[in-house]
Amino acid sequence: MAFVDVEKGIELLATLTGLISVWLARRAHVALYPIGFVSTVLLVGLSYRQSLYAHAGINIWYSVMGLYGWWRWSKDRNEGRIGRATAPAWRITLILMLIAWLVFTYVPVGLGLNPLKFLDVLSSSVAVGAMYLMAARHTEHWLLWMLANSMFTFLFYASGYPFIAAQYLIFILLAVWGWFSWVRKEADYKSC
């Protein structure tokens, strides 16, 4: 029984740090990365425990991209403007999503694990692209987050993690808010 309480505490901490991180992302504040790092590391363990291997994998990706984003956003605070993704950025995003799809689909089977759940693979692949676009400060990352978070909400509710499911539901709302906030910031940058 004590393990269940510890697991729920970890779920709650992952949820709270995740919510704070996305709220900071909406504001384009660099502190989103260290706070988000706590959430992603905790979610690796929780996802793995529920056999959501693709989600565990993307949380490792979030952690790595979070360190990259933290470095990149800290390095170029004054010149690092947000904006629309270019054609090359979209090509990289789509390639990353395809690679994630292939890895999440074939690596577990190759390791003798059960095939991953379709929704786990699809949502995690979309999230890989969203994280790349976010670290590169492209506004469209919010659209990919809306899609991925919709799938994650259902996935985690069905997996017995109601706090994390609620977190992803809130993430959808924050992503909509973030989209409009970043579009306004783009307009401000263009008027300078």
Side-chain angles (χ1 to χ4, degrees), residues 69-106:
W70 191 3
W71 169 78
R72 183 171 176 177
W73 283 35
S74 296
K75 181 179 83 119
D76 61 359
R77 267 194 185 160
N78 295 327
E79 59 190 73
R81 296 181 175 195
I82 58 173
R84 298 298 169 119
T86 60
W90 274 113
R91 278 192 291 279
I92 291 169
T93 301
L94 293 173
I95 289 168
L96 288 171
M97 290 167 62
L98 178 61
I99 290 169
W101 177 272
L102 293 170
V103 167
F104 295 148
T105 299
Y106 294 107

Side-chain angles (χ1 to χ4, degrees), residues 50-138:
Q50 288 297 321
S51 301
L52 299 172
Y53 301 118
H55 200 75
I58 62 154
N59 275 284
I60 292 169
W61 170 257
Y62 293 161
S63 298
V64 170
M65 287 303 293
L67 293 174
Y68 167 72
W70 191 3
W71 169 78
R72 183 171 176 177
W73 283 35
S74 296
K75 181 179 83 119
D76 61 359
R77 267 194 185 160
N78 295 327
E79 59 190 73
R81 296 181 175 195
I82 58 173
R84 298 298 169 119
T86 60
W90 274 113
R91 278 192 291 279
I92 291 169
T93 301
L94 293 173
I95 289 168
L96 288 171
M97 290 167 62
L98 178 61
I99 290 169
W101 177 272
L102 293 170
V103 167
F104 295 148
T105 299
Y106 294 107
V107 168
V109 175
L111 295 174
L113 299 172
N114 290 331
L116 298 181
K117 298 169 182 151
F118 175 78
L119 192 58
D120 188 22
V121 171
L122 179 61
S123 56
S124 297
S125 298
V126 171
V128 164
M131 190 66 188
Y132 168 74
L133 287 175
M134 186 172 102
R137 292 185 182 187
H138 295 304

